[in-house]
Amino acid sequence: SNQHPRIKESVTEEMLLNEHHSIVSLEDVGSFSATYYKNTELEDLITYEGTDLNSVLNLVSKTYSVAIAPRWLVESYSEQLNIKAISLPWEKVERPCYLIWHESTARDKGHLWMKNLLSEVCQN
């Protein structure tokens, strides 16, 4: 929230360890939050588990809870929800991404073309 009393323009790892965290449920397949929270010291700080990032950001906008979310999403809702994006304090911030499709598309020429193109782009 823009009104958060302790977090203004930047955040340290120590600051994050002193906050309540709102996340997308760690049990959801493809949970955005799992990479950052599951089996880490941050997991003990979770006070709210939502089903999606929209509900998490809505809660963050009305409380002093914090959330780790994609910058583009936070920035697109920043005025509407009165929230702000702050860079994470870790040097390297990565997140795995997956492409999943039904086996019936395995021989579809358009799908094969797209799959090959995405593989080439991601390798560069």
Side-chain angles (χ1 to χ4, degrees):
S1 165
N2 280 326
Q3 272 66 52
H4 197 290
R6 292 171 299 284
I7 298 177
K8 302 299 179 198
E9 300 306 316
S10 64
V11 67
T12 65
E13 189 170 351
E14 184 179 333
M15 290 167 75
L16 282 179
L17 292 172
N18 288 309
E19 297 298 331
H20 295 286
H21 291 250
S22 298
I23 68 162
V24 174
S25 176
L26 299 178
E27 304 308 314
D28 286 355
V29 175
S31 167
F32 181 85
S33 303
T35 302
Y36 300 102
Y37 290 92
K38 203 157 199 158
N39 302 318
T40 72
E41 58 191 330
L42 291 177
E43 192 168 9
D44 295 334
L45 304 172
I46 298 168
T47 56
Y48 172 78
E49 285 192 46
T51 58
D52 58 86
L53 280 168
N54 286 326
S55 63
V56 168
L57 293 180
N58 269 293
L59 181 90
V60 166
S61 74
K62 295 171 177 61
T63 67
Y64 296 143
S65 181
V66 298
I68 297 175
R71 178 175 290 279
W72 68 267
L73 185 62
V74 174
E75 288 175 349
S76 67
Y77 284 108
S78 64
E79 286 184 36
Q80 180 183 359
L81 294 178
N82 198 26
I83 57 177
K84 61 184 164 194
I86 297 173
S87 295
L88 290 172
W90 306 296
E91 237 178 81
K92 193 171 187 179
V93 181
E94 289 184 348
R95 180 172 152 63
C97 294
Y98 304 94
L99 294 174
I100 301 171
W101 49 84
H102 191 272
E103 64 186 52
S104 66
T105 62
R107 291 182 300 279
D108 178 271
K109 290 183 188 215
H111 177 80
L112 290 171
W113 170 83
M114 181 185 69
K115 183 175 140 184
N116 289 333
L117 181 63
L118 288 171
S119 292
E120 285 178 28
V121 168
C122 291
Q123 288 176 4
N124 294 333

